[in-house]
Each structure stands twice: as C-alpha cells, then as structure tokens.
Amino acid sequence: MAEMTLVEAVNQALVYEMQVDPDVIVMGEDVAKNGGVFRATVGLLDKFGPLRVLDTPLAESMIAGLAIGMSMRGLKPVAEFQFMGFSYPALDQIINHASRMRNRTRGRFSCPIVFRTPFGAGIHAPEHHSESTEAYFAHTPGLRVVIPSSPVRAYGLLLASIRDPDPVVFLEPSRLYRFAKQEVTNDGKALPLDVCFTLRVGEDVTLVTWGAMVKETLAAANSLSQQGVSAEVIDVATIKPLDMETILASVEKTGRCLVVHEAPLTCGVGAEIIAQVAEKGLFSLKAPPGRVAGFDTVVPYARLEKYYIPSEKRIIDGVHRLMEFA
Amino acid sequence: MKIFNLPDLGEGLAEAEIREWYVKIGDEVHVDQPLVSMETAKAVVDVPSPYAGKIVELHGKVNDIIQTGAPFITFETSDVPDTERLGKNPDKGSVVGKLETSEKKWDDGNVIIGASKPKSQTIKAMPAARVLAQQMKVDLSQVTPTGPQGLITPDDVKKVIDHKPQSTKLMGQTETLHGVRRAMALTMAQLHRAIVPVTIIEDADITDLPPDMDMTVQLLKAMVAAVKAEPALNAWFDGNALERKLFDEVHIGLAADTKEGLFVPVIKHVEQQSQEALRQIIDTYKNAVRTRSITPADMQGATITLSNFGMITGRYATPIIVPPTVAILGCGRSREVAIPRNGQIVIGRMVPLSLTFDHRVVTGGEATRFLGALIKYLQENN
C-alpha cells in the first residue's frame, strides 16, 4: 500500500504490467528519456530498457500505425499521445485499422493496444491541450473508451485495458493527475471494464458523469445533501460500451437523471445516455432527463476556462430544475 | 528598471545557451525586436524584446547557459510588465499548463461496482399519467396500473379522480387560493365595481314539455331565439371607451361548477348547431373540465352566459355578468306548482329564470323583451 496521485498510479500500473508481461511495450513522444510530458512514464526506461520503452518521432499517425503492427504480431503496446488534441493525426490509423482489424480479418487478428492520452481543461494550457473529445472515439465501433477518475481506478482500469485483447482508448483527466492522493494497492488486480462505479448512493436524483467532472459532481452532491436532496453519483468509467444496466437501475430508483460532462453539449456522450434513458427508462422518470455540459465552443484559454468547465453551481442548478417536478 | 527573466523557450525546457547577442548595453530597442539567438535542446530560436527601452545589462555572454526563469536582460523602460498589469498572480496559461496539486486525500467511500437492483418496486407511469396525477393531486401509489408490465396509464389516473371525494381540503385550515379559484376572486371583485347589474326574474311554464327533454340544450336554443328578438343583450361593452358591439353569432359561455372552482367553456355558434350537436359539445367540455384538459381558447369569446345552477339547487339568483358581455341568464331548479288554467287548478311544472343585465348599456325594456322571447320559445317551440 502506498499513497499516490492519479498520474503515479498510471506509472505504477505500467511498471507492474511490464514486469509480469514481457510483451508490453511503452511508446510515444518523450516517454523514455524524458519520462513523459506529465511524468507518467518516468523511470520506465531505466527499468525496462530501450527495446521496451521507445521515444518516437513527433508523428502520431506513425505511433498508432507502429502500435497496430506490433499488436498484430503479438506485442501489447501502450502508446501515449501527449495531449488529446495531438491524437487526431492518429485517428486514421485508429479508426481505419485498429478498431476494425478483428472484424476485417474475421477474428484472425486483433489489436491489443492501449492509446493513452491526458485530456480535459482546467490546467491553464492551450485549447488543443484542454479539450474533451471522447465522443469521437466512443462513436467508433470496435474501440473501448475508458476514463478513470481516481488513483485506484486509474491503476485498476489501466491494467484491465492493457490485458484487454482489443484496442482501448484510455483517457486520463489531467486536471486530476496530481489533485489528490489515495492508497493504491500494487497487487496487479484489475478493475472490471464496461461497468459503472457508483460513488455515492442517493434516492432523489441520479448524477451520471466521468473523468474530471466526478470532482465537481461529488461536491455538488455534498452540497445538495445539505439542502435535503439525496443524489446518487455514478462514474461511468467505461463510456464505450456503456453500462446502461447500472444507470437505468439507478434512474428507476430515483426517477431523475442528470448527465454531467465537460465535453461540448451537442452530440456528447450525454446525448447517448439520455437517449437510452428515454428509450428504456421513460416510465420511471419523474422529470425530463437533463444535461449539464461544456459549451459548444472551442475550450477557452486559461483565464476563461473556469467559466467553461461545468461548475458545482451549474450542476446544483441542473438538479434543482429536475426537482421542480413532483 | 525591469529585469527580463529567461522564459521557457520550448515545452518544459530547463535551460538554454546563448549563441549570439544582437544588441549591446546602451542600445534602444522596441517591442518584439530580436535581442538574442538561443540554442535549446530542441531548436535555435530568437528571443524578441518584451519591452521598449534601453538595454542596461546583459546577464550572460555567448556560450553561457542560462536557466529558465533566471535574470537575463535588464531594461530601462516605462513599460508596465504583465505581472503588474494583470495583478500579482495573473491567471496565465502556458504550453504544458499547470496541474493543480494538493495534499488532499482521495476518499472514494464505498464504491459499488455495477448495477444494484432497487430494493422496492418502483412506480412506472406514462409521462402523461404523471402530469395528470400531479395536476389533480393524485398519489400514484394509490393508482391501480392496467398498462403493460404494470404501467400506470392516464386512464388509470382518471379512474382515481372520478372516485375522489369532492372536497379534499382539510377543514379549519387557512388555504391560499390558487388557479381558477384565485382568478375568480380577483376578476369578480374588480368587475363588480364598474357594472350596474339589474336582475329580473320570471318563471317559464314547461308543463307541456316532455319530461325527458334536455333542459340545458333547450335553454341554449331559447337564448338564440331571444337574441334574435332583442340583440342588445348579445353584446360586448367597453365601459372606459363607452363602446358597444352587437353580435349576429351567439357564443354562449356555459358556467360549470367543479371542485377546482368555476369554469366557463364557450359553445361557439350556438345558432348553427343542432340539438344533438349541442349535447355532444357540452359532454366533451364536461369531460375536458374534469380532466383539466380544457384550453384557455375553449373559455374565450363568449357573447352571453348561461348558468344552469338548477341542476344542483336554488330557485332564483343574481348571477354576475362576465365582462365584456352584458347579460347572464341563470336557470334554477324546476318544480311542480299549482297553476290556475281556464278556472281550474292544474298541477304544472315551472322553471325559474333570472336574467342579470348591465344597466349601463341595456335598457329595462330590452331585457324584459329578451326574457319574454326566451320564455315564449321554451313554452311554444316543442
């Protein structure tokens, strides 16, 4: 047991899995000698050497393509993009090849790759270092999209993602990288993919969120409890495929659903969740389902980003709108 | 005097090496003028001047390595540096950003992985049923569901509404008026200050009418006949502008008593409707009032009003005019009476009528002629 930050938990999971599985390869820009832009891969080069920890050129399409080739020949690459905005040159390789290799080859080949990248605003960086475009990936069949929200889940979900036989896009909320510490047991136990984590049990409203927004959502739930509103908080964790069973069971209990995400509102993952709640949970709803999300704009630069990220107040206001219905 | 510290020339670079100075001490420089060529681990870059002014000191010579953030060039300048312009702690961005760090402990509490079934059976209801139940103050847990998979339908809620006691209010408690009842209180008080109401009463002999006839429909038709005889009562009056408007068409507001208060749906063009059609319209409105699905449009545009309170109890009344109309007919409970006819006393049937009119705009003669024509129609046209 050791207390660590979320980014240290990522490092811990990489170290553990590289020790037990010689097929695991870490690659990306500045991941080896430098230890990664956020130090997620620090120390790996010393422990595992240059054949397993690779500094690549500044060419994300190549990083993804290289990982696909390695994975089809039995390796398990964990490829890092320095920021989410830099993953777009790799979309061609990820969408056209990694996500559909199993289908294309009728199951003869698969791509056990983890594409890691930090994402989200709140770190006073430029817009292409701050966006939340998880919906791009979630929309693509054949990709798993996993987002941890605590050191424990970063450790357990990254292990599960590396062990998964298909490509996983592993999005790390950079705003939470060093926000707080948590006891993480380095026992190599993975957490399950494709299920939600209910962080707080409540009776009146279901708050569905993921990634860094878990922080504001939990704070809102605490404030709401002082106002007599009991909120259940669900960390979706795997946003593709969605564990609607957990969300629907909760909505059936509370009758109210508010999705909170940092990504822009339009066509965000919240739209998919609300659609399924409407399709399958409508008759349990006491109020129209709601969303609190980022605005349909480019993430603003440092001084304005606090107005962009959904605040605790916006979440509380969103819940009050739902509570107006008896 | 301003000291310019070496900025991060890349992404997280710790230092840079001086390749060539483009300026010397004493030079006057302008903003963005290249000052020096620096070599970093990534590239060779020119550093532009942040200020306009005079170079006072260069904190290094060619081939010296300067740490990021260390004093680099001293200027004599009146320019205000960013730190003063934006305050002590400017909310500045940088290429790699700045992560929030804290000594906080992450407390996850008891995390539940995956779905947990609700302990108790929850109520499933169609959205329309929920809205109806909310409006009619019906507790959904008291409704028996008949829809598929135990789903409560709007009809299920209506069944409960039909069996609800008329008065659900608790006695002895002060209650703030809402909705229809509140609107009634406000408008009636306001109106009565302006109107000059006069009520005339008379009985209509309906002895010869079939006992199963539809009194409300007969009254509606009789009002149309009375309007033809005396149009002055089928009118709108604006007391402020002193403007009167007479109507050919007869739109009759039919006052309906409900436990929520008084509703007055308007039957349009009564003069064009058959008796059967009128009955159908009345029944539709009754249902709409009961389920609160009646719309504001259904309750607008009356040219005259009928209040058939005789279905409940009461003989005569002084019903109140609803502006801008100028007359309202009240119909009480019909009763058996001894009637002298041809020197004999016969048992007949009378229906008591009360006509209130606004004497500002309707004369006594017009009102009595109207009531006379109405009674004549009731007694003769069957």
Side-chain angles (χ1 to χ4, degrees):
Chain A
M1 289 279 270
E3 277 195 351
M4 59 185 75
T5 61
L6 195 154
V7 70
E8 286 164 350
V10 167
N11 184 275
Q12 184 81 264
L14 290 172
V15 170
Y16 185 94
E17 204 59 8
M18 290 182 86
Q19 274 167 348
V20 299
D21 187 345
D23 291 335
V24 176
I25 304 289
V26 166
M27 58 197 288
E29 295 158 10
D30 283 338
V31 298
K33 196 175 167 194
N34 176 281
V37 62
F38 289 111
R39 331 304 301 158
T41 53
V42 74
L44 298 185
L45 179 65
D46 290 343
K47 285 193 183 74
F48 303 104
L51 288 178
R52 293 183 66 198
V53 185
L54 313 180
D55 272 331
T56 67
L58 301 180
E60 287 80 6
S61 179
M62 183 224 68
I63 295 173
L66 198 58
I68 291 166
M70 287 177 170
S71 68
M72 289 174 71
R73 301 296 295 175
L75 296 178
K76 294 176 186 165
V78 180
E80 177 181 295
F81 303 120
Q82 289 197 321
F83 292 96
M84 195 162 201
F86 299 161
S87 69
Y88 309 148
L91 280 179
D92 171 40
Q93 291 290 339
I94 295 173
I95 294 174
N96 280 323
H97 302 294
S99 73
R100 54 186 75 172
M101 195 58 74
R102 179 185 286 282
N103 180 285
R104 181 184 290 152
T105 63
R106 307 286 94 172
R108 283 189 203 92
F109 290 98
S110 68
C111 294
I113 308 167
V114 177
F115 297 105
R116 286 182 47 245
T117 187
F119 82 121
I123 61 162
H124 293 208
E127 95 279 349
H128 56 305
H129 292 190
S130 300
E131 54 202 336
S132 301
T133 51
E134 63 270 23
Y136 293 165
F137 298 99
H139 189 63
T140 302
L143 287 184
R144 225 176 216 92
V145 184
V146 178
I147 303 176
S149 68
S150 74
V152 163
R153 282 187 289 285
Y155 179 82
L157 292 173
L158 182 53
L159 287 178
S161 299
I162 298 171
R163 293 167 193 172
D164 191 83
D166 288 293
V168 175
V169 176
F170 194 83
L171 304 175
E172 298 161 10
S174 41
R175 186 149 58 92
L176 300 187
Y177 260 162
R178 291 178 201 143
F179 165 67
K181 291 187 172 184
Q182 188 179 23
E183 293 280 345
V184 178
T185 311
N186 187 19
D187 55 5
K189 275 190 191 154
L191 284 167
L193 300 176
D194 309 347
V195 292
C196 296
F197 294 78
T198 302
L199 304 183
R200 190 191 162 101
V201 175
E203 301 297 325
D204 298 327
V205 60
T206 301
L207 304 179
V208 181
T209 189
W210 52 90
M213 287 315 302
V214 165
K215 177 169 160 257
E216 282 77 13
T217 305
L218 281 172
N222 278 333
S223 300
L224 284 163
S225 74
Q226 284 153 24
Q227 302 169 19
V229 177
S230 160
E232 185 144 309
V233 177
I234 293 178
D235 173 9
V236 179
T238 303
I239 60 164
K240 177 73 175 289
L242 274 174
D243 169 21
M244 284 309 297
E245 193 189 343
T246 298
I247 296 169
L248 286 167
S250 175
V251 171
E252 187 179 325
K253 177 177 69 173
T254 64
R256 296 181 185 84
C257 180
L258 185 77
V259 181
V260 180
H261 63 62
E262 191 176 308
L265 181 77
T266 302
C267 294
V269 175
E272 174 62 26
I273 294 172
I274 296 292
Q276 293 205 43
V277 165
E279 283 173 352
K280 297 164 189 167
L282 184 70
F283 298 135
S284 300
L285 288 177
K286 296 172 185 163
R291 284 177 290 170
V292 170
F295 300 104
D296 284 341
T297 181
V298 175
V299 183
Y301 196 51
R303 250 171 292 170
L304 290 176
E305 67 182 350
K306 60 172 174 277
Y307 302 108
Y308 174 86
I309 300 169
S311 62
E312 183 187 335
K313 181 179 183 303
R314 279 184 64 203
I315 298 167
I316 292 172
D317 289 349
V319 169
H320 284 315
R321 281 198 296 279
L322 302 192
M323 296 308 297
E324 281 171 17
F325 296 86
Chain B
M1 212 74 82
K2 298 276 186 310
I3 297 174
F4 172 52
N5 298 325
L6 181 68
D8 183 352
L9 299 175
E11 296 188 0
L13 294 172
E15 58 187 26
E17 184 181 335
I18 301 170
R19 285 274 295 264
E20 182 188 355
W21 283 109
Y22 300 139
V23 292
K24 57 185 187 302
I25 292 166
D27 281 3
E28 290 284 344
V29 296
H30 55 82
V31 172
D32 286 345
Q33 178 181 335
L35 300 175
V36 60
S37 170
M38 301 294 289
E39 181 164 3
T40 73
K42 283 187 174 176
V44 176
V45 293
D46 283 352
V47 177
S49 176
Y51 308 120
K54 199 165 97 182
I55 304 287
V56 175
E57 188 181 353
L58 303 175
H59 298 262
K61 52 186 191 302
V62 172
N63 294 336
D64 279 358
I65 289 173
I66 309 291
Q67 297 298 311
T68 299
F72 191 34
I73 301 166
T74 304
F75 292 80
E76 192 178 288
T77 176
S78 55
D79 281 5
V80 179
D82 281 358
T83 44
E84 283 173 32
R85 193 160 49 82
L86 300 171
K88 274 244 158 55
N89 298 303
D91 204 357
K92 284 207 297 189
S94 64
V95 174
V96 276
K98 188 172 180 350
L99 298 188
E100 182 182 355
T101 56
S102 74
E103 286 308 304
K104 280 189 198 125
K105 294 287 177 283
W106 210 297
D107 182 17
D108 260 346
N110 293 322
V111 176
I112 301 166
I113 301 175
S116 46
K117 273 277 150 205
K119 285 188 202 86
S120 56
Q121 190 65 34
T122 56
I123 292 169
K124 295 235 166 61
M126 288 184 182
R130 275 189 202 278
V131 173
L132 185 61
Q134 195 187 350
Q135 285 179 343
M136 301 303 287
K137 299 183 175 61
V138 170
D139 179 2
L140 278 177
S141 66
Q142 303 302 312
V143 178
T144 310
T146 64
Q149 294 160 28
L151 184 63
I152 295 174
T153 69
D155 279 344
D156 298 338
V157 178
K158 281 179 197 161
K159 273 178 215 149
V160 174
I161 295 168
D162 288 345
H163 291 105
K164 248 186 136 181
Q166 285 299 300
S167 175
T168 55
K169 306 292 179 210
L170 293 173
M171 292 301 155
Q173 289 185 359
T174 307
E175 169 200 0
T176 307
L177 298 187
H178 294 288
V180 179
R181 204 170 272 279
R182 185 183 190 84
M184 180 184 75
L186 294 174
T187 46
M188 287 300 173
Q190 184 199 347
L191 302 182
H192 236 207
R193 284 197 283 273
I195 293 170
V196 182
V198 176
T199 303
I200 52 172
I201 56 176
E202 182 56 282
D203 291 337
D205 182 348
I206 53 168
T207 309
D208 299 331
L209 267 53
D212 60 342
M213 56 113 205
D214 189 334
M215 195 64 207
T216 304
V217 170
Q218 290 304 316
L219 285 166
L220 291 171
K221 280 296 180 191
M223 285 170 82
V224 171
V227 165
K228 276 193 188 130
E230 191 46 77
L233 283 83
N234 189 49
W236 284 357
F237 178 58
D238 179 341
N240 293 323
L242 291 178
E243 284 172 355
R244 184 176 75 146
K245 185 178 179 187
L246 302 184
F247 291 94
D248 279 335
E249 60 272 28
V250 186
H251 306 316
I252 301 182
L254 186 61
D257 169 77
T258 76
K259 69 172 185 303
E260 296 296 326
L262 177 68
F263 285 86
V264 189
V266 177
I267 304 172
K268 308 273 160 56
H269 289 288
V270 176
E271 77 280 6
Q272 293 174 10
Q273 310 287 353
S274 68
Q275 300 206 1
E276 293 73 25
L278 284 172
R279 174 39 57 191
Q280 209 169 0
I281 294 169
I282 294 166
D283 289 344
T284 307
Y285 273 145
K286 266 189 187 165
N287 202 39
V289 166
R290 197 161 35 102
T291 58
R292 290 293 287 268
S293 59
I294 195 151
T295 65
D298 291 334
M299 296 191 278
Q300 284 166 3
T303 58
I304 191 166
T305 307
L306 169 64
S307 175
N308 191 6
F309 57 86
M311 288 182 289
I312 308 166
T313 191
R315 191 178 294 182
Y316 304 107
T318 56
I320 287 176
I321 292 160
V322 185
T325 64
V326 301
I328 177 168
L329 179 72
C331 177
R333 183 179 278 280
S334 67
R335 65 193 189 281
E336 290 194 322
V337 289
I339 303 173
R341 196 178 273 180
N342 304 325
Q344 301 283 315
I345 291 175
V346 298
I347 303 296
R349 196 158 191 84
M350 289 289 195
V351 60
L353 300 171
S354 311
L355 176 70
T356 299
F357 61 97
D358 187 346
H359 214 332
R360 292 178 301 170
V361 63
V362 178
T363 68
E366 285 164 344
T368 46
R369 275 193 294 277
F370 178 94
L371 188 58
L374 191 137
I375 291 170
K376 188 160 179 277
Y377 178 92
L378 277 181
Q379 292 179 169
E380 292 177 5
N381 283 280
N382 282 285

